[in-house]
Each structure stands twice: as structure tokens, then as C-alpha cells.
Amino acid sequence: MSSPRVYVIHENPEWLPPLAAAFEAEGVPLEEILLTEESPFGGIDLASPPPPGVYWSRMSASAHTRGNPHAKEYTRAVLAWLQAGGARVVNGNPGASSASGLPVIDLEVSKIAQHLLLSQAGFDVPRTVAVFGRSGLPAAARQFGRPFISKHNQGGKGLGVRRFDSYEEFDAYVAGPEFEEPIDGITLLQEYLVAAAPFITRAEFVGGRFVYAVRVDTSAGSFELCPADACAVPGAAPLFSVREGFESDPLVSRYEEFLAANGIEIAGVEFMETLDGRRVTYDINTNTNYNPDVEASSPVSGPRRIAQFLGGLLVSEHAGVNA
């Protein structure tokens, strides 16, 4: 039997190097559970217990865009095995004590679930209509003023998000070859929010506690705002910077309470401050990545904080481990 370690459940090796470096720097043993069809992990023996350790689920809603359409189902199977074996899982199955009772993976892959939970908790969220299939989209769009946006229920990185300035433009898109079919068949239509200033804020949390806030420049109009170094465009101006002084903002404690209530221990939460004075929360990223420009300028490190948090759990769950 292997010695206890932290196991990271994921499907994209390109996002791992900054985290692996942080774990090495903190002296915390880390091993991948790579849930792709080509992975040597392969599957699970239901008669065997999970190896000792702490498991961190960071499956991504955008896995299907990297050729891994079944990754979330593989994750559900692994999480069921871990839960049956009594393993400690970060961002796993929170159980009946959580506000939703849903596994965190179900929140990661469903903006509908996120929207409903945020709204029930009293957060301002975008007005949203979920449409199944394609045929009902033109009629549903007429419920919104113009402009409005469409997005995928299971997205990630802003993929599938489009702005439409007229119903005719949207009708042509839905009927045409450029229509992006959502992986789960659910398209969301939302009100278009006008920012008071051209940026959104992403607040990062580890162990349910605030780490730092990131200011994300949206002046170029793009909705694809992946912070990971693997997503960076060579030569492009930095889009991500630390938002100073945000730790005292009332939203921080509200987000911490929300994450605790739903069993989410590591996440980034995104919101926008609008021209008409709203503070609208619209996304929860439970596989959060950290931007290298922010990491270089922040007094605290997101990956190092994760390594410290999970290393501490490893010690408490498995006495005698030098983590």
C-alpha cells in the first residue's frame, strides 16, 4: 500500500505545473488521478478500498472542449468509490448537511445549479432563461431587451458566450452552421450587464477562506477569461491583476458563508459591478486556476495556500505523515 499523499482528480495536465511546483515547495506529496480515456489510471476496482490520503477533486466544466467528454462521469464514479471508502475528499460530496445536497462536481458543470443556489442565498444574479434544445431559443430571446447574451449551461473559460444586438441576428445564429451546440443541450439566455468600469472581479478562496481578489480587464470585450498560464496569449497585455483592499469587502464574508454551506472548499467566485449600481455574481469555479501575473505581485500565493491547506489535512487525517 502506498504512503498517504494528496491525490488530485483532474483531466488537463497543462493546468497542473504551477500547483505541482507549489506542492513540491511545501513538501507535500502529490499524485495525479488523470481521468481521460488514455490515462494509465484506467478505472477502479470496486472491491478495493481507496489508497490512504486526501483527495482533491478539480474536474473542469470545460473538459469536453479538450476531447474529454466523459471526464465528469468518470469523476462521479471515482467520487462514489471514495465516499464509500470513507476517504476525505475536498470539493467532493458534501452530504445532506449542505444547502444543496449536491456533489460539488454538479455545481461545477451546471450554471443553472449555481444560479439557483446563489439566488436562494440572496445574491444578485443575472436574469436567466434556460432553453432545452434549439427550437425554443428564438421565442425565449424575445423575453429579453437588447442586447442580450447566450452561454452554455456547462461551459468554462467563457466558451459559448455571445452577445446579440438584435433578435434577427440571434435567429440567424441559431438557424445557421455557426451555432455552438452545448454539450448538455442546454443554452442559457441572459440579460446583458453593463459594467461601471471595464473589469470583473474574481475572488479566490482556499479552505473556505479568502486568499485574494483578481481584477480582470474586460475592455477588449472578450468573454474568454481563463487565468491559467496555459491559456495566455504570447505578447498580449496582462489582463489579470490583484484587486487591492478587497479583503474588507462585505462580499468576502458572504461568499465564505455560501461556500461553507455548500461544501465547497476551494473555488473562485466571479462578480460584476454594473453601471446601475448592482453587484452581480454569475459564476463559481471549483477547479480554479491562478494567473502568473497575479501570483508574481500578490503577497500570498494561491497554489501555495492550497498545498498548505491540503498538506494540513493530510497530517490530520493520517497521523505521522510529514506533510
Side-chain angles (χ1 to χ4, degrees):
M1 182 176 291
S2 63
S3 61
R5 63 198 61 207
V6 173
Y7 293 89
V8 56
I9 302 166
H10 73 121
E11 54 76 41
N12 186 10
E14 290 187 354
W15 286 348
L16 193 63
L19 294 163
F23 276 76
E24 183 177 5
E26 294 292 333
V28 179
L30 181 69
E31 184 171 327
E32 294 181 73
I33 296 179
L34 184 64
L35 295 185
T36 65
E37 291 185 11
E38 297 78 20
S39 169
F41 181 75
I44 49 180
D45 181 349
L46 300 186
S48 297
V54 170
Y55 293 79
W56 171 29
S57 175
R58 65 182 318 265
M59 186 52 60
S60 170
S62 61
H64 59 284
T65 69
R66 290 177 291 277
N68 300 313
H70 304 302
K72 68 179 187 296
E73 301 306 333
Y74 297 163
T75 300
R76 288 191 174 102
V78 169
L79 293 178
W81 173 61
L82 294 174
Q83 184 177 37
R88 175 65 165 93
V89 183
V90 172
N91 282 5
N93 298 320
S97 62
S98 74
S100 67
L102 292 173
V104 175
I105 181 65
D106 287 352
L107 298 179
E108 169 65 20
V109 301
S110 174
K111 296 189 184 301
I112 292 172
Q114 294 182 18
H115 183 290
L116 292 172
L117 283 179
L118 287 164
S119 180
Q120 289 169 1
F123 293 96
D124 191 356
V125 296
R127 179 168 180 262
T128 304
V129 172
V131 181
F132 306 149
R134 192 188 296 206
S135 62
L137 282 167
R142 270 65 177 178
Q143 299 179 46
F144 292 86
R146 291 149 294 178
F148 60 92
I149 67 171
S150 69
K151 64 172 60 173
H152 293 178
N153 178 55
Q154 182 181 331
K157 301 187 298 183
L159 296 172
V161 183
R162 291 181 178 235
R163 167 180 165 162
F164 296 93
D165 294 306
S166 73
Y167 301 132
E168 293 75 19
E169 177 191 6
F170 181 67
D171 293 349
Y173 166 70
V174 172
E178 293 186 4
F179 179 74
E180 296 181 63
E181 194 75 45
I183 189 67
D184 61 0
I186 303 174
T187 299
L188 305 182
L189 300 180
Q190 288 186 340
E191 62 176 318
Y192 180 75
L193 300 171
V194 180
F199 71 90
I200 61 95
T201 301
R202 180 178 176 128
E204 299 289 357
F205 299 84
V206 174
R209 307 299 295 176
F210 178 73
V211 178
Y212 55 56
V214 180
R215 185 187 191 277
V216 187
D217 185 347
T218 58
S219 58
S222 174
F223 294 106
E224 296 190 22
L225 302 173
C226 170
D229 50 0
C231 298
V233 177
L239 299 179
F240 302 84
S241 60
V242 176
R243 180 168 176 177
E244 303 287 353
F246 191 74
E247 62 275 1
S248 59
D249 192 283
L251 272 179
V252 169
S253 60
R254 292 187 63 201
Y255 285 150
E256 288 179 344
E257 291 170 3
F258 174 84
L259 296 174
N262 290 283
I264 303 171
E265 297 178 85
I266 299 174
V269 184
E270 296 182 7
F271 74 94
M272 176 190 290
E273 293 160 295
T274 68
L275 193 61
D276 55 357
R278 297 168 62 189
R279 307 185 90 193
V280 183
T281 304
Y282 61 87
D283 198 16
I284 304 166
N285 300 277
T286 66
N287 70 315
T288 190
N289 282 294
Y290 298 92
N291 179 260
D293 295 319
V294 173
E295 283 288 303
S297 60
S298 172
V300 295
S301 166
R304 293 287 288 266
R305 187 66 63 84
I306 289 176
Q308 293 161 6
F309 169 61
L310 295 180
L313 289 180
L314 194 61
V315 170
S316 63
E317 294 285 324
H318 302 276
V321 175
N322 181 18

